[in-house]
Amino acid sequence: MRLGSTIKLTLGLLIATTMAVVAYAANLPAASSSASYLGSYVWDMNDSWFGGFSALSLGRDGRSMTVLSDRATLATARIRRQGGQISSIEVKTTRPLQSSSGKVLKGRIVDSEGLAIARDGTIYISFEGISRVVKHRKASSRAQVLPRPSEFRSLPINKALEALAIDSRGRLYTLPERALNDDGQIPVWRWNGRTWSTPFTLPPLGNFLPVSADFGPDGRLYLLERDFGLFGFRSRLRRWDITAEGPANEQILLKTAFGTHDNLEGLSVWRDGNGTLRATMISDDNFYSIQRTELVEYALPR
């Protein structure tokens, strides 16, 4: 999500004056967690495209990575690890995404937020500015815009289709950052290859807002959420079993204190060589020098 002008001004003023507090908080344990902190890696490059990362997808080995910026740039990279921890990242490819007409995305149609990659390599992207989900056969191909139901068209700009996930059957799931339904629930839309439906909703909880989602190798749905306050950002990670009757067995795996991490917006859940479930998350620095692009990893309970 691109932060609005009011929040950007607040962010610029507050973070600049509270860096010492944030640095202190970064060394504190999570406010509440059944996940175990593994480590963080600050990623930095001096390239104009770099930054604003809103989504990521890791390969099964945790060493290949695709990242998406909210300025519609898709990049692939190789992660090097030492002792299981990220030690360096090497960018392999970068490509600005194309519209359905083959042009580079500009203006209101740019704001790319969610990323899901199918088993055959097909790339799906969700957007906020004009709420939609698109398909790319490969990164260099033109976008194919999936049908836009009326619910998409009425979503608020900059609070729309923030999260995108794909299940083991190849079905897409997307949900908005801030647009509750008439019952006060978070709507979840599913694409089965032909039509959109609303198979279930998720319960909002406190001031946290959805920013990313993923189906883990365990088949469960994971939701990364964010809150913003005086001393920076805090993050929460929840998960559910998705049953024929809807989501069940909700668990809060992680809830950090303000300033523990930067603006975590992207989530990828995978299993390492030891069989441990891991959540890898990436932060959106909003192209501000006072923020950082941070990859954060937690081990998750079974």
Side-chain angles (χ1 to χ4, degrees), residues 267-302:
L267 168 70
S268 186
V269 179
W270 55 288
R271 197 183 301 277
D272 66 21
N274 295 321
T276 301
L277 275 174
R278 291 195 182 207
T280 300
M281 294 164 280
I282 193 169
S283 65
D284 176 357
D285 67 356
N286 293 294
F287 293 95
Y288 276 0
S289 60
I290 57 175
Q291 288 185 258
R292 62 190 183 274
T293 296
E294 180 185 20
L295 281 91
V296 178
E297 294 192 310
Y298 281 82
L300 305 178
R302 292 179 179 268

Side-chain angles (χ1 to χ4, degrees), residues 99-222:
S99 68
S100 57
S101 64
K103 297 179 180 179
V104 174
L105 295 174
K106 295 181 180 180
R108 287 185 60 213
I109 65 173
V110 170
D111 204 354
S112 48
E113 294 292 340
L115 169 68
I117 302 177
R119 289 181 180 178
D120 65 359
T122 300
I123 300 164
Y124 296 92
I125 310 285
S126 65
F127 290 81
E128 277 199 324
I130 296 179
S131 304
R132 68 199 188 280
V133 177
V134 306
K135 175 172 72 173
H136 295 267
R137 292 295 181 186
K138 52 185 179 179
S140 59
S141 65
R142 297 183 180 188
Q144 177 185 339
V145 183
L146 302 186
R148 296 179 66 217
S150 59
E151 294 93 337
F152 286 12
R153 300 174 189 272
S154 62
L155 290 172
I157 292 176
N158 203 40
K159 298 294 183 183
L161 301 180
E162 184 82 14
L164 187 67
I166 189 167
D167 68 13
S168 60
R169 296 171 59 180
R171 298 176 299 183
L172 292 174
Y173 297 74
T174 188
L175 59 150
E177 180 183 7
R178 182 182 285 170
L180 303 180
N181 66 12
D182 292 341
D183 296 323
Q185 301 294 295
I186 303 168
V188 177
W189 293 286
R190 182 171 67 198
W191 173 254
N192 64 5
R194 299 179 305 278
T195 60
W196 289 101
S197 63
T198 310
F200 56 84
T201 61
L202 297 175
L205 189 60
N207 295 325
F208 286 89
L209 300 176
V211 289
S212 191
D214 193 25
F215 279 93
D218 56 355
R220 287 178 284 193
L221 176 63
Y222 291 78

